[in-house]
Amino acid sequence: MFLSIIVPIYKVEPYIIRCLDSCLNQSNVKLGVDYEIIAVDDGSPDKSGEIADELLDDKHGCTVIHQENKGLSEARNAGLQIAQGEYVWYVDSDDWIETDAVSQLYTIVNDSDSPDVIMIRSQVENDNGPQNIWHDEWKHESEIKTGLQVLCEDNWLTPAQFFIVNREFILSTKLKFKPGILHEDNHYTPRLLYFAKMIRRTNHVLYHSYINSNSITTTPNSKRSFDLLSTCNDLSLFADNHYFSKKEEKMWNKFIAITLNSALFLIKNHREDIKIKFNTELSNSSRLFYRMRHSGSIRHIIEGIIFKYSKNYILIYNLLTRG
């Protein structure tokens, strides 16, 4: 079997039919032979899981897993555990894919000597219709690069759904999503790029990303900042334990600095006691300030220097980004 499409499901009742229909109705390929669909109901409190059962239960090549709520990371990992495809594609349940997406991917792999990863472009959608295209800056129909070359180009996005990954590659590198955190793709995708020796980028738009105003990433939650800080520390430790050239490490440090800035941006409007707790945790992560100072980005270098001597990080961030 060529491809396993893994669809985590949680509170997406208005969107799940659109998503699963797009996966079911693929042209020029056969469900159950060329590809499979694995839907993972992550303890959804609405009827999303029931709808998945109704759509998929009687179809060859489809599996629905029902589990207690564990979060997106564990849902994706559960799907990977039973996947049979040569490649794995994580598709978010409020998004959808092009009708010829699987056949397009099949052609790409046949033309590319089985790359570790295929990177795709995505059409952004909201309730007003199509918007911009992510990864739209690619000028060529397709390119083959290493993951670290992509990292250093600095034009990649973190969502895991933009990366179709060889399953044996995932298993050999033990690349899974970290359980229990939000913004799990910030943790997963840089490591994916580090290990990938062959990445094929395609100019085809195969994915539609729906911007849902009620999604986790648009809902105020202080956990988002603390999890991003934890991710920064994990990525810093990863860099300590793996080889990078100077240029590669500089770009890795820049991603850590950007991620930490996201954490600071998201925490700045929370209660004072939460901000104090965040400042305290960040003060115990001084290795991150070193990485900021060696990121090659003037703004982050300045932040890293000031953070080394002052512990009111949120105030400093607000002053540096004002205006």
Side-chain angles (χ1 to χ4, degrees), residues 8 35 37 52-53 67 113 127 148 153-154 161 165 173 184 247 253 258 261 266 272 286:
Y35 74 107
I37 302 170
D53 284 333
Q67 64 182 31
D113 195 25
D127 291 333
L148 285 172
E153 287 182 350
D154 200 23
Q161 54 268 35
V165 188
T173 55
E184 55 286 309
K247 180 180 179 181
N253 291 343
I258 291 171
N261 268 245
L266 292 169
E272 193 63 29
S286 58

Side-chain angles (χ1 to χ4, degrees), residues 32 47 64-65 81 89 93 103 109 127 129 146 148 156-157 175 193 195 199 203 212 246 262 275:
K47 294 183 179 180
V64 181
I65 299 172
Q81 191 170 2
W89 191 1
S93 48
S103 61
V109 168
D127 291 333
T146 68
L148 285 172
W156 53 279
L157 299 169
L175 271 172
L193 293 179
F195 288 118
I199 290 183
N203 196 41
N212 177 6
K246 288 185 178 180
S262 295
K275 291 193 286 187

Side-chain angles (χ1 to χ4, degrees), residues 24-274:
L24 287 167
N25 299 315
Q26 287 292 300
S27 60
N28 303 316
V29 288
K30 187 173 182 179
L31 180 62
V33 176
D34 299 306
Y35 74 107
E36 65 177 345
I37 302 170
I38 302 171
V40 184
D41 171 22
D42 188 42
S44 186
D46 62 6
K47 294 183 179 180
S48 300
E50 297 174 29
I51 294 171
D53 284 333
E54 292 172 5
L55 289 174
L56 304 181
D57 263 356
D58 62 343
K59 292 180 174 61
H60 178 58
C62 296
T63 304
V64 181
I65 299 172
H66 296 279
Q67 64 182 31
E68 64 182 27
N69 180 241
K70 299 179 182 179
L72 179 58
S73 290
E74 292 278 48
R76 286 173 171 171
N77 291 339
L80 176 63
Q81 191 170 2
I82 66 168
Q84 299 297 311
E86 180 185 356
Y87 284 82
V88 171
W89 191 1
Y90 300 105
V91 172
D92 281 359
S93 48
D94 51 358
D95 298 337
W96 66 98
I97 63 177
E98 281 288 316
T99 56
D100 63 345
V102 175
S103 61
Q104 289 277 6
L105 291 172
Y106 193 84
T107 299
I108 291 167
V109 168
N110 283 343
D111 291 345
S112 307
D113 195 25
S114 299
D116 296 325
V117 178
I118 304 167
M119 291 178 66
I120 62 171
R121 296 165 71 224
S122 174
Q123 175 74 64
V124 180
E125 309 270 356
N126 63 25
D127 291 333
N128 296 318
Q131 305 298 311
N132 58 302
I133 294 177
W134 282 333
H135 285 155
D136 197 37
E137 67 282 355
W138 297 343
K139 296 180 180 179
H140 304 291
E141 179 70 14
S142 60
E143 301 176 26
I144 297 178
K145 297 180 178 291
T146 68
L148 285 172
Q149 285 175 325
V150 172
L151 176 81
C152 289
E153 287 182 350
D154 200 23
N155 61 2
W156 53 279
L157 299 169
T158 57
Q161 54 268 35
F162 300 163
F163 300 83
I164 293 86
V165 188
N166 183 285
R167 186 166 61 89
E168 288 301 320
F169 166 74
I170 298 177
L171 296 177
S172 66
T173 55
K174 300 180 180 179
L175 271 172
K176 291 188 176 182
F177 294 89
K178 184 176 180 179
I181 64 169
L182 302 176
H183 299 285
E184 55 286 309
D185 292 346
N186 288 57
H187 194 278
Y188 167 86
T189 302
R191 295 180 299 124
L192 174 73
L193 293 179
Y194 178 86
F195 288 118
K197 301 304 181 186
M198 182 187 293
I199 290 183
R200 174 73 180 268
R201 304 197 305 190
T202 177
N203 196 41
H204 295 293
V205 176
L206 302 182
Y207 196 89
H208 294 261
S209 301
Y210 176 65
I211 305 302
N212 177 6
S213 60
N214 295 317
S215 70
I216 290 173
T217 55
T218 57
T219 303
N221 184 351
S222 63
K223 177 174 167 56
R224 295 170 63 190
S225 290
F226 288 97
D227 287 351
L228 285 171
L229 175 56
S230 173
T231 290
C232 289
N233 284 316
D234 285 350
L235 293 178
S236 179
L237 183 61
F238 183 96
D240 289 338
N241 293 324
H242 294 81
Y243 173 77
F244 289 83
S245 70
K246 288 185 178 180
K247 180 180 179 181
E248 292 161 357
E249 186 167 12
K250 183 180 292 185
M251 294 306 298
W252 191 269
N253 291 343
K254 182 179 177 181
F255 181 78
I256 290 175
I258 291 171
T259 302
L260 182 55
N261 268 245
S262 295
L264 288 161
F265 173 79
L266 292 169
I267 202 71
K268 65 180 183 178
N269 292 324
H270 283 277
R271 296 195 319 263
E272 193 63 29
D273 60 318
I274 293 176

